[in-house]
Amino acid sequence: TITWMEKLRAEYPNKKLSLLMGFDGLKNILNWTRGYELVEILDKIYVVSRMEETEAYDQQVKEVLKVSPKLEIEFLGHHEFEHLSSTQLRN
Protein backbone atom coordinates (compact mmCIF):
# COMPACT_ATOMS: atom_id res chain seq x y z
CA THR A 1 0.00 0.00 0.00
CA ILE A 2 2.80 2.44 0.83
CA THR A 3 4.42 1.86 -2.57
CA TRP A 4 1.15 2.65 -4.31
CA MET A 5 0.61 5.77 -2.18
CA GLU A 6 4.15 6.98 -2.88
CA LYS A 7 3.48 6.65 -6.61
CA LEU A 8 0.23 8.59 -6.26
CA ARG A 9 1.97 11.30 -4.22
CA ALA A 10 4.67 11.63 -6.89
CA GLU A 11 2.16 11.73 -9.74
CA TYR A 12 -0.34 14.03 -8.01
CA PRO A 13 1.68 16.08 -5.51
CA ASN A 14 -1.13 18.58 -4.85
CA LYS A 15 -3.89 16.04 -4.26
CA LYS A 16 -4.92 14.75 -0.86
CA LEU A 17 -4.36 11.04 -0.28
CA SER A 18 -7.10 9.09 1.48
CA LEU A 19 -7.59 5.45 2.31
CA LEU A 20 -10.80 3.56 3.06
CA MET A 21 -10.48 0.62 5.45
CA GLY A 22 -12.32 -1.38 8.05
CA PHE A 23 -11.69 -0.75 11.71
CA ASP A 24 -9.78 -4.02 11.87
CA GLY A 25 -7.35 -2.55 9.33
CA LEU A 26 -6.94 0.64 11.34
CA LYS A 27 -6.16 -1.41 14.44
CA ASN A 28 -3.23 -3.02 12.63
CA ILE A 29 -2.05 -0.29 10.25
CA LEU A 30 1.09 0.51 12.24
CA ASN A 31 2.11 -3.16 11.91
CA TRP A 32 1.77 -3.15 8.12
CA THR A 33 4.90 -3.10 5.98
CA ARG A 34 6.18 0.47 6.38
CA GLY A 35 2.96 1.27 8.28
CA TYR A 36 4.42 4.32 10.00
CA GLU A 37 5.42 5.80 6.65
CA LEU A 38 1.97 5.06 5.23
CA VAL A 39 0.26 6.90 8.07
CA GLU A 40 2.59 9.87 7.58
CA ILE A 41 1.94 10.12 3.82
CA LEU A 42 -1.86 9.98 4.12
CA ASP A 43 -4.09 13.00 4.60
CA LYS A 44 -7.20 11.13 5.67
CA ILE A 45 -8.40 7.65 6.58
CA TYR A 46 -12.07 6.73 6.29
CA VAL A 47 -12.97 3.89 8.62
CA VAL A 48 -15.85 1.50 8.03
CA SER A 49 -17.29 -0.26 11.04
CA ARG A 50 -16.54 -3.95 11.58
CA MET A 51 -19.00 -4.55 14.48
CA GLU A 52 -16.67 -3.08 17.09
CA GLU A 53 -17.78 -1.03 20.05
CA THR A 54 -17.27 2.68 19.47
CA GLU A 55 -15.26 2.93 22.70
CA ALA A 56 -12.45 1.12 20.89
CA TYR A 57 -12.07 4.04 18.46
CA ASP A 58 -10.52 6.53 20.86
CA GLN A 59 -7.52 4.43 21.87
CA GLN A 60 -6.69 3.42 18.32
CA VAL A 61 -7.00 6.98 17.01
CA LYS A 62 -4.61 8.18 19.71
CA GLU A 63 -2.01 5.60 18.69
CA VAL A 64 -2.19 6.50 15.00
CA LEU A 65 -2.22 10.26 15.64
CA LYS A 66 0.96 9.94 17.71
CA VAL A 67 2.66 9.00 14.44
CA SER A 68 0.93 11.61 12.27
CA PRO A 69 -0.91 14.36 14.16
CA LYS A 70 -2.03 16.04 10.91
CA LEU A 71 -3.90 12.92 9.77
CA GLU A 72 -7.70 13.08 9.71
CA ILE A 73 -9.59 9.94 10.68
CA GLU A 74 -13.31 9.79 9.91
CA PHE A 75 -15.49 6.95 11.15
CA LEU A 76 -18.35 6.19 8.79
CA GLY A 77 -20.50 4.47 11.41
CA HIS A 78 -22.34 1.19 11.65
CA HIS A 79 -24.08 -0.28 8.60
CA GLU A 80 -26.07 -3.37 7.65
CA PHE A 81 -23.13 -5.14 5.95
CA GLU A 82 -20.51 -4.76 8.68
CA HIS A 83 -20.63 -8.49 9.47
CA LEU A 84 -19.18 -9.26 6.00
CA SER A 85 -15.47 -9.42 5.36
CA SER A 86 -13.57 -9.29 2.08
CA THR A 87 -12.38 -12.84 2.78
CA GLN A 88 -15.98 -14.03 3.06
CA LEU A 89 -16.89 -12.28 -0.18
CA ARG A 90 -13.94 -13.83 -2.04
CA ASN A 91 -14.89 -17.30 -0.84
Side-chain angles (χ1 to χ4, degrees):
T1 304
I2 183 63
T3 302
W4 178 53
M5 287 296 171
E6 287 173 331
K7 288 178 184 178
L8 288 173
R9 175 64 75 211
E11 190 169 339
Y12 305 102
N14 298 319
K15 298 286 183 182
K16 292 191 177 218
L17 293 179
S18 299
L19 195 59
L20 174 68
M21 64 175 53
F23 184 71
D24 49 340
L26 181 67
K27 287 190 326 187
N28 295 309
I29 195 167
L30 296 178
N31 295 322
W32 291 11
T33 299
R34 297 176 56 204
Y36 282 77
E37 293 174 65
L38 175 60
V39 167
E40 290 174 342
I41 200 172
L42 291 171
D43 296 293
K44 189 167 191 171
I45 298 176
Y46 292 94
V47 183
V48 178
S49 175
R50 299 285 295 163
M51 300 184 345
E52 69 284 338
E53 295 297 321
T54 54
E55 295 79 37
Y57 297 168
D58 291 339
Q59 183 59 36
Q60 192 55 41
V61 168
K62 286 178 187 175
E63 292 301 313
V64 173
L65 292 180
K66 283 181 192 176
V67 176
S68 181
K70 59 112 179 134
L71 180 67
E72 293 180 56
I73 300 174
E74 182 175 335
F75 290 93
L76 300 178
H78 292 283
H79 54 89
E80 64 183 293
F81 301 107
E82 63 188 49
H83 66 284
L84 294 175
S85 72
S86 58
T87 302
Q88 288 174 310
L89 293 174
R90 282 191 297 273
N91 293 331

